[in-house]
Amino acid sequence: MANENTPLDRVRNVGIIAHIDAGKTTTTERILYYTGKKHKIGEVHDGAAEMDWMEQEQERGITITSAATTCFWNNHHINIIDTPGHVDFTIEVERSLKVLDGAVVVFSSSDGVQPQTETVRRQADKYGVPRMCFVNKMDKIGADYNMCLESIKERLSNKWVAIQMPVGQADEFAGIISLITMKYYTFEGANGEQQVERDIPADMLDKANAARESMLDTISAFDDDLAMKFLEGEEISQELVIKAIRTWVLKDELYPVLCGSALKNAGVQMMLDACVNFLPSPLDIGWVNGSNPDNTEEGMFRKADNSEPAAALAFKVMTDPFVGTLTFVRVYSGIIKSGDALLNPITGQKERVGRLLLMHSNKREEISEIGAGHIAAFLGLKDTFTGHTLCDIKDPILLESMDFPDPVISIAIEPNSKKDQEKMWLALSKLMKEDPSFKAHTDEESWQTIIAGMGELHLEIIVDRLKRENKVEVTTGKPQVAFREAISWTAEGEGVFKRQTGGRGQFGHCEIRIENIRGNEDGNNFEFIDEIKGGSVPKEFIPAVRKGAEETMKQGILAGYPIIGVSVALFDGSYHDVDSSEVAFKVATRIAFKNAFMKAGPTLLEPVMKVEVVTPDDYVGDVMGDISSRRGMIQGQEQRWTATVILAKVPLAEMFGYATTLRSATQGRASYSMEFTDYEPVPKNVADEVIKERSGQVQALDEVE
C-alpha cells in the first residue's frame, strides 16, 4: 500500500488554487490522466470532469466543493486537492491550504492576476504555503505570457522566476522551452501523452538565452554557489539550478513560473515534474505546532514521523449518501489504524475510527491504516467538525484550528409543508456541519428560518441541495444584507438595575466606557478591560458584566444587528451585600452599554465588495455609469488586451441581480467577479430606511402578540 511503502520525502500534498475559470479542474483532469489514475479525460464544459462530481458543479461548469485525490508520478505519492475559484466558496480554499504543504497557482494567460488570485495568495501567505505558478490557456485568444509575468510582479509578488517560455501564443502556441534544460518540448499523441524533446528553434535561441540569463540572475540573488558560477561565467548544471530553486521555494521566497495549456494537453507533465522537484514533502515542513489541551500552553509540537504519538486535523466534513459522514483528515504524526480510538481535545470526547478511506473525488478506496504526512477520510466520527484535532488519548495535543469568515448575505426560507419542517432542520444541520461559512437560525422577532452565506450563488446552491439531496421543498424570500452596528467615538454609560419583590431583591450597578477598536491590527471585534479598583464591583460579578456586554453586542441596539469593533472597560459600580447577583449585573451592563452606545456616534455598517468588471471598450461608459448608480466608487481601470478592466468598491446591497444587468448592457460580452472587502458606514438616508423597516417588523410583531 502506498501509505506504507512511499518514503515521506517522496510524498507531496498539493493544492490547485486560482480564480474561477483559470482552468484548475481541467489541469487536475490532465494530472489524473497522465499519472494513470484514469484512462479517459473528462472535460469541464461537457460536465464530465471527475473532480466536479456534484450535479450542481456539472450543470454550472464550476467547482463548488474541494475534491481530494491520490496519484503517483516518478515514484512520488501526490495527494491533490482541487479547490473552487468562486469567492462564495473561498472557505474550501482556506481549509484546504491549512493542511497542504504546497500549492500550484493557476493563471489564465489572457487575464493575468484576477481578484480571487489575490485572495488565494493572501490565504497561502497566511498558512506559509510554498507555491509555484502555472500560466494556463496559452492557446487562448489574447494569451500573453509577458503580461502575466508583469501582472504577477505588480499585483502579487516580485519573488517569481520564469523557468519556462512558450513557443508562440494563442493560435500559434506550439510548445514550451525549458530554461533549465534549454530544450524545446512538444506534446504529441491523441492526448499529448508523448512529451517530445527537441532542440530550441533557431529563431527562438537568442530570446531563450536571454530568458535563461534573466532566470539565473534572479536565482543567483538567493543562492551564493550559483551566484559565484554565474558571475565567473562557468557552466551551471541543471541539478544546481533545481536544487537552488527548491531551496528557496521551501523558504517561501521564490515562486517558479511555468506555462502550458491543460485543455490542449501541453505542459502538464512538466508541471508534475516541477511539483516533485520544487514543492515540499511533509519532512521538509518538519513539524506542526500545537498546545496543551489542559491549559492551552503553547510550545508543543509533533514531528512528521510514524513513531510519534498520533496527531491529525479534521479539515472537511462531507455527507456521502452511501456510507454516511466522511471526515477528511490530515495526519501530521503517528499511524492511525481502522478501529483506533482517538481523543478530540476540543469536545473532550473519544472518537473511534470506523473505516479509513483514500478518496478519489467521490470514489473511495478502503485502507487499513494511514501514516504521517498523508490525507484520508475517516468514517464513523460523531462529534468531530472542521478544525478539530484528533490525537493520541495518552499523549494529547491541540493543533491550531482555522478562522472562518462571517456570512455577508442571508435569506428567509420556509418549508412548503408541515412534514418538511423537521426534514428541513435536519438537512440544514447537516449542511452547517459540512460548511462552516454557512449558518442557519430562527429569527427571534419574525420566527422565520434565516440562512446566511457568502454570496447569492452560495445560498442558491444550498437551496438546490435542500431540494435535490434532501427532498425538502422550500420557498425563499428576498436576499438580506448582513448589516453591522458600530460606534464612532469613546463614550461612557451607567446602568442600574434595582428590583424589590418582597423577599430578596435584585441590585446591580456598573459604569462602563466603550471605545471604537475597528481597524486594529489584531482584528479583534470585542475586548473587555477590568479597571475596577477597591472592590466597587466584586470579582465574582465581573464575568457577568463581560457576558452582559457580549450579549448586547450580539443583539444590537440600532436595528438589531450585531455590534462590532468595541472595547468595553468596566471602571466603577456598586453592589448590595444581599441583593446583588450575576443576573442583576448582567442587566445593569446592558442598560449601561445602551446608554453609552447612543452617546458614541452609533452608525450602521454594510458589507462592501471589491468588484472587477472585464468589458469590451465599447461598453466602458455604460458599465461605469451603472456602478455609480449602485453607490459604487470607481477605484481605477486598466487595459487588458482588447478589454478594459474596471475596479470598483460597491455595497453588497446594490449588487443583487447585477449579473443579469451586466449581460443586458453588454450583450453578454462582459464578465465580473466580486469579493468581500470590509464593512463601511451606510449613508444616513439608507440607514434610516433600514432602521425604520426593522423597527416596523418588531412593532408589527408586538401588535400580533
Side-chain angles (χ1 to χ4, degrees):
M1 189 180 66
N3 291 14
E4 295 168 342
N5 300 328
T6 308
L8 266 186
D9 63 346
R10 292 193 174 185
V11 173
R12 300 288 182 272
N13 293 307
V14 179
I16 312 292
I17 59 176
H19 185 89
I20 190 170
D21 206 30
K24 295 178 303 301
T25 301
T26 302
T27 301
T28 308
E29 287 294 310
R30 268 52 182 187
I31 289 172
L32 299 179
Y33 179 74
Y34 296 130
T35 58
K37 189 72 182 182
K38 59 183 293 191
H39 304 292
K40 182 175 180 287
I41 293 174
E43 300 293 7
V44 173
H45 53 263
D46 293 333
E50 186 112 0
M51 301 301 277
D52 284 349
W53 57 271
M54 290 175 68
E55 290 178 1
Q56 294 87 347
E57 293 175 316
Q58 293 164 358
E59 290 171 357
R60 292 166 173 80
I62 62 170
T63 302
I64 291 168
T65 184
S66 54
T69 189
T70 299
C71 58
F72 299 88
W73 183 255
N74 288 351
N75 296 318
H76 283 71
H77 180 147
I78 307 177
N79 296 309
I80 295 175
I81 296 183
D82 175 31
T83 67
H86 196 288
V87 65
D88 283 16
F89 310 105
T90 191
I91 182 64
E92 294 288 332
V93 185
E94 180 90 10
R95 57 184 175 187
S96 298
L97 285 172
K98 171 68 177 172
V99 299
L100 291 168
D101 300 327
V104 178
V105 188
V106 181
F107 298 82
S108 169
S109 63
S110 60
D111 299 300
V113 175
Q114 295 171 277
Q116 190 65 5
T117 324
E118 296 182 83
T119 301
V120 297
R121 187 285 310 272
R122 288 192 295 271
Q123 290 171 311
D125 284 347
K126 177 179 175 181
Y127 295 117
V129 179
R131 68 214 83 139
M132 60 188 219
C133 307
F134 179 61
V135 177
N136 190 26
K137 302 190 177 184
M138 286 307 307
D139 62 309
K140 185 182 175 184
I141 294 174
D144 190 335
Y145 189 55
N146 289 330
M147 178 275 290
C148 279
L149 295 177
E150 279 301 308
S151 179
I152 292 169
K153 179 180 178 181
E154 289 174 11
R155 297 179 64 177
L156 291 187
S157 170
N158 59 3
K159 296 178 179 179
W160 60 270
V161 58
I163 63 170
Q164 292 178 353
M165 61 181 287
V167 175
Q169 300 187 140
D171 54 1
E172 295 180 356
F173 176 62
I176 299 163
I177 292 172
S178 166
L179 302 177
I180 297 176
T181 65
M182 287 304 280
K183 292 291 183 181
Y184 167 44
Y185 297 89
T186 58
F187 303 87
E188 301 173 6
N191 293 305
E193 301 93 339
Q194 300 161 30
Q195 181 175 299
V196 181
E197 183 179 285
R198 309 170 187 271
D199 289 333
I200 296 172
D203 62 339
M204 294 287 294
L205 198 52
D206 288 346
K207 195 175 177 182
N209 281 326
R212 178 176 166 85
E213 286 283 306
S214 176
M215 176 190 76
L216 293 174
D217 186 39
T218 300
I219 302 168
S220 65
F222 295 92
D223 192 277
D224 292 341
D225 290 346
L226 192 145
M228 190 67 69
K229 289 180 182 292
F230 181 61
L231 291 171
E232 293 177 0
E234 291 183 34
E235 185 67 30
I236 299 174
S237 68
Q238 296 177 33
E239 292 74 21
L240 182 58
V241 175
I242 290 171
K243 180 186 172 189
I245 293 173
R246 177 176 175 77
T247 298
W248 293 97
V249 167
L250 297 189
K251 293 180 180 179
D252 200 22
E253 291 291 336
L254 198 62
Y255 311 129
V257 183
L258 300 85
C259 61
S261 168
L263 187 64
K264 297 298 182 184
N265 309 308
V268 176
Q269 297 100 316
M270 298 175 79
M271 188 194 74
L272 279 166
D273 289 336
C275 284
V276 165
N277 286 336
F278 304 131
L279 293 182
S281 72
L283 285 181
D284 294 313
I285 301 301
W287 64 81
V288 61
N289 292 316
S291 58
N292 187 322
D294 293 328
N295 55 24
T296 67
E297 182 184 333
E298 296 182 357
M300 296 183 73
F301 66 91
R302 289 284 186 271
K303 287 194 298 184
D305 192 323
N306 287 347
S307 64
E308 287 266 307
L313 187 72
F315 67 93
K316 180 179 171 71
V317 176
M318 186 179 92
T319 304
D320 186 298
F322 300 105
V323 296
T325 301
L326 290 168
T327 308
F328 287 76
V329 172
R330 161 70 189 263
V331 179
Y332 284 97
S333 64
I335 293 177
I336 296 173
K337 298 180 180 180
S338 179
D340 278 357
L342 299 169
L343 174 70
N344 180 334
I346 290 179
T347 64
Q349 301 297 312
K350 293 177 186 175
E351 290 271 33
R352 186 167 296 280
V353 181
R355 289 160 62 197
L356 288 170
L357 304 170
L358 275 186
M359 297 301 294
H360 174 51
S361 186
N362 64 331
K363 297 182 175 66
R364 303 165 296 277
E365 174 192 337
E366 190 155 353
I367 55 177
S368 58
E369 62 182 47
I370 183 93
H374 284 281
I375 290 170
F378 291 8
L379 261 178
L381 306 186
K382 293 177 181 170
D383 295 305
T384 296
F385 296 88
T386 299
H388 284 193
T389 299
L390 292 166
C391 62
D392 189 300
I393 294 171
K394 295 178 182 174
D395 200 342
I397 186 172
L398 180 62
L399 303 180
E400 188 182 70
S401 187
M402 311 175 208
D403 299 321
F404 304 117
D406 290 327
V408 296
I409 181 175
S410 62
I411 58 173
I413 64 168
E414 59 180 56
N416 288 358
S417 66
K418 269 194 170 180
K419 69 173 186 179
D420 280 337
Q421 179 77 38
E422 189 176 340
K423 276 169 64 180
M424 182 183 77
W425 269 107
L426 285 171
L428 290 174
S429 300
K430 182 183 75 176
L431 290 168
M432 280 192 283
K433 187 173 181 181
E434 289 184 17
D435 182 355
S437 66
F438 167 65
K439 306 289 182 198
H441 71 279
T442 301
D443 187 274
E444 292 179 3
E445 295 171 359
S446 65
W447 292 102
Q448 288 180 304
T449 299
I450 306 295
I451 60 171
M454 303 308 296
E456 284 183 279
L457 180 60
H458 189 194
L459 295 184
E460 182 187 318
I461 298 294
I462 291 288
V463 171
D464 195 46
R465 291 186 66 189
L466 278 175
K467 293 176 179 178
R468 286 199 206 191
E469 296 171 22
N470 301 280
K471 311 298 182 212
V472 178
E473 290 299 321
V474 295
T475 302
T476 58
K478 183 183 169 187
Q480 300 290 319
V481 171
F483 290 99
R484 295 289 183 265
E485 299 177 16
I487 58 172
S488 306
W489 52 77
T490 302
E492 293 181 357
E494 182 177 15
V496 179
F497 179 66
K498 189 174 183 179
R499 181 167 293 171
Q500 206 66 41
T501 55
R504 179 180 166 178
Q506 294 281 2
F507 180 82
H509 168 221
C510 62
E511 294 182 48
I512 64 170
R513 179 176 63 256
I514 62 174
E515 182 181 351
N516 179 12
I517 57 169
R518 282 191 71 233
N520 276 17
E521 284 184 15
D522 58 11
N524 280 350
N525 268 325
F526 170 74
E527 66 178 26
F528 180 78
I529 303 166
D530 175 9
E531 294 182 1
I532 291 297
K533 291 178 183 149
S536 57
V537 175
K539 285 193 180 302
E540 62 264 32
F541 297 132
I542 288 173
V545 173
R546 178 185 182 121
K547 196 165 183 185
E550 286 179 316
E551 287 178 359
T552 307
M553 286 183 67
K554 282 179 187 172
Q555 293 166 358
I557 294 169
L558 276 182
Y561 292 106
I563 300 166
I564 61 171
V566 174
S567 168
V568 178
L570 171 66
F571 65 88
D572 203 359
S574 62
Y575 69 101
H576 188 279
D577 286 336
V578 177
D579 292 348
S580 285
S581 68
E582 289 186 6
V583 171
F585 270 98
K586 226 160 78 166
V587 176
T589 304
R590 290 181 190 171
I591 296 167
F593 196 113
K594 289 179 182 178
N595 182 275
F597 184 83
M598 298 311 293
K599 293 190 279 186
T603 182
L604 203 62
L605 305 175
E606 63 182 339
V608 174
M609 313 303 283
K610 182 167 75 173
V611 179
E612 181 176 290
V613 183
V614 182
T615 176
D617 295 343
D618 298 350
Y619 305 106
V620 169
D622 292 340
V623 171
M624 291 176 76
D626 182 63
I627 288 173
S628 297
S629 74
R630 296 170 183 270
R631 297 194 283 123
M633 295 286 293
I634 305 294
Q635 304 285 296
Q637 65 183 81
E638 58 189 52
Q639 205 64 26
R640 187 178 294 164
W641 196 56
T642 59
T644 297
V645 181
I646 299 168
L647 307 169
K649 286 174 74 175
V650 189
L652 174 61
E654 305 293 339
M655 288 300 290
F656 297 137
Y658 182 63
T660 304
T661 304
L662 186 65
R663 274 197 300 270
S664 303
T666 64
Q667 297 180 357
R669 295 171 63 195
S671 62
Y672 84 102
S673 59
M674 68 177 184
E675 65 174 323
F676 170 73
T677 177
D678 197 8
Y679 280 96
E680 293 186 6
V682 179
K684 187 174 185 308
N685 62 318
V686 178
D688 289 345
E689 200 174 303
V690 172
I691 293 168
K692 183 180 176 184
E693 185 181 334
R694 294 280 285 191
S695 60
Q697 290 172 359
V698 175
Q699 186 178 349
L701 279 165
D702 288 343
E703 288 170 2
V704 170
E705 288 170 2

